[in-house]
Amino acid sequence: MELDEVDLRLLELLAENSRTSFAELSRELGIPRTTLIGRVEKLRREGVIKSFTLDLDFKRLGYKYLAFVLVKARRGMGSAPLPSQVLLAERIHRGSAEREDLPWVEESHVITGEYDILLKIRARKWEDITKFLIEFLARFEEIEHTNTALVLTTVREERRPPAVGGAKRG
């Protein structure tokens, strides 16, 4: 799908505040409200807009700890139609979501390099991270080893790509 200038500006405005009214967006973009609604629906149908989300302050929600966990998987485990790393990441994600005493696995990615999976986890208590690393992940025979980086300070977390609107942000 090709996006024109209006689509890109619309995405930029929605990324800044997804609760902006259609009336306000149509004024800002200089297009009729019905045209705007049609564009938003087309962007949703095409999968460009996946959802309208909140930008949460995780610390205020009690998530005091953020960590990245690199997972090295053993080779040759399983013969499923999906790569074993994808299945392992899904199992970790699902398994941790079923337990309140484990961190929230916010993201999981199959990556290149020395490790196979990158997990972004948030925890309310240090003990939850300890339990996740020492007890929970140890139960997966497909995991060879892990490497964990605890975030000391988050300098910046971007939620909007610089390509939306075409301008660089600093």
Side-chain angles (χ1 to χ4, degrees):
M1 173 181 183
E2 254 187 70
L3 303 176
D4 64 16
E5 297 277 330
V6 175
D7 290 329
L8 291 172
R9 181 70 180 130
L10 171 60
L11 291 172
E12 183 177 32
L13 292 169
L14 287 172
E16 287 174 14
N17 182 0
S18 63
R19 292 190 60 180
T20 306
S21 72
F22 284 146
E24 190 175 330
L25 289 169
S26 68
R27 271 194 309 277
E28 177 77 28
L29 296 170
I31 61 174
R33 189 173 178 270
T34 53
T35 303
L36 172 80
I37 292 168
R39 282 181 179 257
V40 170
E41 285 307 311
K42 181 179 177 190
L43 292 167
R44 287 183 71 178
R45 211 175 31 255
E46 294 289 330
V48 174
I49 296 175
K50 292 171 32 175
S51 67
F52 295 91
T53 62
L54 298 171
D55 187 7
L56 301 171
D57 184 329
F58 294 109
K59 288 192 178 182
R60 289 184 184 215
L61 292 171
Y63 292 97
K64 296 189 280 185
Y65 303 101
L66 171 62
F68 292 91
V69 180
L70 291 161
V71 177
K72 174 97 173 137
R74 293 191 203 301
R75 298 290 180 218
M77 299 288 291
S79 58
L82 287 173
S84 59
Q85 296 92 337
V86 171
L87 295 173
L88 176 58
E90 287 177 350
R91 287 179 51 222
I92 292 168
H93 215 98
R94 253 191 332 272
S96 64
E98 293 170 356
R99 294 180 46 184
E100 288 185 27
D101 62 334
L102 294 178
W104 166 38
V105 179
E106 183 179 357
E107 297 177 12
S108 53
H109 307 273
V110 174
I111 59 172
T112 63
E114 182 180 344
Y115 290 88
D116 301 295
I117 299 168
L118 172 67
L119 305 172
K120 180 180 181 182
I121 64 171
R122 294 190 186 267
R124 290 189 164 104
K125 298 183 296 193
W126 179 251
E127 295 80 22
D128 295 348
I129 293 176
T130 302
K131 192 175 291 187
F132 180 78
L133 296 172
I134 294 174
E135 294 175 21
F136 179 71
L137 290 182
R139 292 185 182 146
F140 292 89
E141 64 183 35
E142 306 97 316
I143 295 177
E144 189 173 311
H145 67 271
T146 63
N147 188 352
T148 303
L150 183 65
V151 174
L152 300 175
T153 302
T154 298
V155 176
R156 185 177 197 150
E157 276 186 310
E158 284 291 327
R159 306 239 194 261
R160 294 177 285 145
V164 174
K168 285 276 192 195
R169 293 185 316 275

